[in-house]
Amino acid sequence: MPLILAIESSCDETAVALVRGEEGERAVVLASEISSQIELHREHGGVVPELASRNHSLHLRGLVEKALADAGVSMSEIDAFAATTGPGLASSLLIGSTAAKAMACACDKPFLGINHLEGHLLSPFIELTAVPPHLALIVSGGHTLLLDVAGPGDYRKLGGTRDDAAGEAFDKVGKMLGLPYPGGPEIEKTARGGNPAAYDFPRSMLHDPHLDFSFSGLKTAVLYTLQREHGKVSVPNLSASFQQAVIEILIGKTLRAAGQSGRKTIALSGGVSLNRALRDAFSIACNRAGLALATAAPDFCTDNAAMIGFAALLRHLHGGSSPLGEDIHPNLPLA
Ligand code: KG4
Ligand code: ZN
C-alpha cells in the first residue's frame, strides 16, 4: 500500500504526517506530528513571517524523525513525498517544500506539491473510503470559501469572502477585546457565558443572492460598540453576539449554496470549524434541511500535515506528481 510522507509549513504550524492507503480502501494516518508556534507569535499579537520560517527550519527534521519512529517505518519505505506549496507565507512554504523535494530527490521518489486549501477541503474525509460529491465550506484564518465538489480534484468556487476571512474576524475581534492570540478559541470560551442576542450585529450580505461573504462591517460594528460602551461592555455578551452573527452568515450562505447546487452533503473544514457552537448550529440546520453534514476530526481542523498527506495520497493513487522545479505559490487559488 502506498505510503506518503507529507509536510505542512504554510503558516505558523510545522507539521509532518505519514499517510498510507489504497484505492477504495480506508486511508490510515500512521503519524501526525505538529509543532505549534502559537506561543512564539502570541507576544506579537499575530504571525511574524520571519520567526515562522526560522522555526519551521529548526523543528522540521525532528518532526520527520518522530513521525517515522512513531509509525515504525523507515525512509526507504516511503513511496512519495508531499508538501504544501501554497497558499501561505512564502518564506514558510519554502522550508517545507524544499525539505520534501530534497527527501524525494535523495530517495529517488516522486514529489507532490499540494494546495493547502485542498488539504482542508478533503480533511472531513480522511480515513474514509471515498470522498462523495458535496458542498464544501472552508473556514480558516486566511480563507472563507464555498465550493461545489464533484469529486477529488474537481472543484468549482461558488463564493468567498470579499474582505476578512471568518477566522481573521475572530482574531481581530479577539484583539479588540484584549483576548490572547488567536482570538477564535478565546471568543468561543468567553461566549459560553454570554447572551448571543445581547447585541444586534449586522449579517452583511446574508440576504444578497450571490454566495460571497463580508465580515469587515461586522468587525467595525463590534469596534463601534466597544467605543460607545467604553468600560461598560459585557465581554461574554459581545463575544456571543459576534459569534452568533458569524454563525448565521456562514449557515445562511452555505444552505443557499446547497439549494442551488443540489448537493445533499455539506462538509465543514478549517480552523473555525472547531467552534462547537458553529458545529452544533450547522448540525441542527442540516438536519432540518435534510442534508448530511461531514466535519473534520478536531485534530484535522486546524493546520496539520495529515490532510496534506491525504490529498497527496489521492493524487498519487491516480499517477499524479509534481516537477521538482515546481515553485511555491503564496496566492495559489483552489478553483
Ligand atoms: O485552518 P487554520 O489552522 O489556519 C489557516 O489556514 O488559516 O485556522 C486558524 C483559524 C484562526 O483564525 C483561529 O482563530 C480560528 O481558526 N479558530 C477558531 C477556533 N479555533 C481556531 N475560530 C473560532 N472558534 C474556534 N474554536
Ligand atoms: Zn489552514
Side-chain angles (χ1 to χ4, degrees), residues 44-65:
H44 304 282
V47 178
V48 181
E50 191 184 322
L51 278 183
S53 56
R54 283 166 68 180
N55 269 272
H56 289 315
S57 69
L58 284 178
H59 293 293
L60 201 45
R61 182 173 183 163
L63 291 176
V64 169
E65 284 167 358

Side-chain angles (χ1 to χ4, degrees), residues 194-224:
N195 171 10
Y199 295 97
D200 187 18
F201 289 134
R203 274 71 167 148
S204 310
M205 297 186 180
L206 179 56
H207 300 294
D208 294 0
H210 60 74
L211 296 171
D212 284 344
F213 302 88
S214 167
F215 294 103
S216 72
L218 171 59
K219 181 188 66 187
T220 309
V222 173
L223 180 66
Y224 287 167

Side-chain angles (χ1 to χ4, degrees), residues 96-302:
S97 64
T98 305
K101 285 177 189 175
M103 289 188 279
C105 207
C107 299
D108 199 20
K109 294 285 166 57
F111 164 72
L112 293 113
I114 301 296
N115 185 314
H116 180 78
L117 296 170
E118 182 174 29
H120 276 305
L121 179 141
L122 294 172
S123 62
F125 306 101
I126 296 179
E127 296 186 304
L128 296 185
T129 45
V131 178
H134 67 272
L135 191 100
L137 175 67
I138 306 175
V139 269
S140 70
H143 301 270
T144 305
L145 264 182
L146 267 174
L147 298 124
D148 184 65
V149 179
D154 193 349
Y155 314 127
R156 188 166 58 90
K157 181 177 169 184
L158 301 176
T161 182
R162 294 192 182 175
D163 39 59
D164 291 346
E168 192 178 356
F170 268 98
D171 295 341
K172 287 179 177 170
V173 168
K175 209 169 185 174
M176 287 178 206
L177 295 175
L179 299 171
Y181 170 84
E186 299 295 329
I187 287 183
E188 173 171 20
K189 265 188 251 158
T190 316
R192 277 188 210 128
N195 171 10
Y199 295 97
D200 187 18
F201 289 134
R203 274 71 167 148
S204 310
M205 297 186 180
L206 179 56
H207 300 294
D208 294 0
H210 60 74
L211 296 171
D212 284 344
F213 302 88
S214 167
F215 294 103
S216 72
L218 171 59
K219 181 188 66 187
T220 309
V222 173
L223 180 66
Y224 287 167
T225 304
L226 275 171
Q227 288 171 345
R228 199 180 55 238
E229 299 198 6
H230 188 68
K232 293 180 300 194
V233 81
S234 152
V235 174
N237 281 351
L238 196 137
S239 299
S241 302
F242 162 77
Q243 181 174 274
Q244 185 60 25
V246 175
I247 290 173
E248 284 179 26
I249 296 167
L250 292 176
I251 291 183
K253 288 285 179 182
T254 306
L255 289 194
R256 170 171 299 159
Q260 287 179 9
S261 69
R263 299 293 184 205
K264 294 291 172 219
T265 299
I266 287 175
L268 267 186
S269 62
V272 180
S273 75
L274 260 183
N275 187 288
R276 194 71 249 172
L278 177 74
R279 284 184 178 229
D280 291 347
F282 253 104
S283 157
I284 292 168
C286 286
N287 248 327
R288 267 200 208 122
L291 301 168
L293 178 66
T295 52
D299 284 351
F300 301 148
C301 286
T302 46

Side-chain angles (χ1 to χ4, degrees), residues 63-85:
L63 291 176
V64 169
E65 284 167 358
K66 186 162 188 315
L68 292 170
D70 284 0
V73 299
S74 70
M75 200 70 135
S76 60
E77 293 173 66
I78 292 163
D79 297 288
F81 293 84
T84 305
T85 45

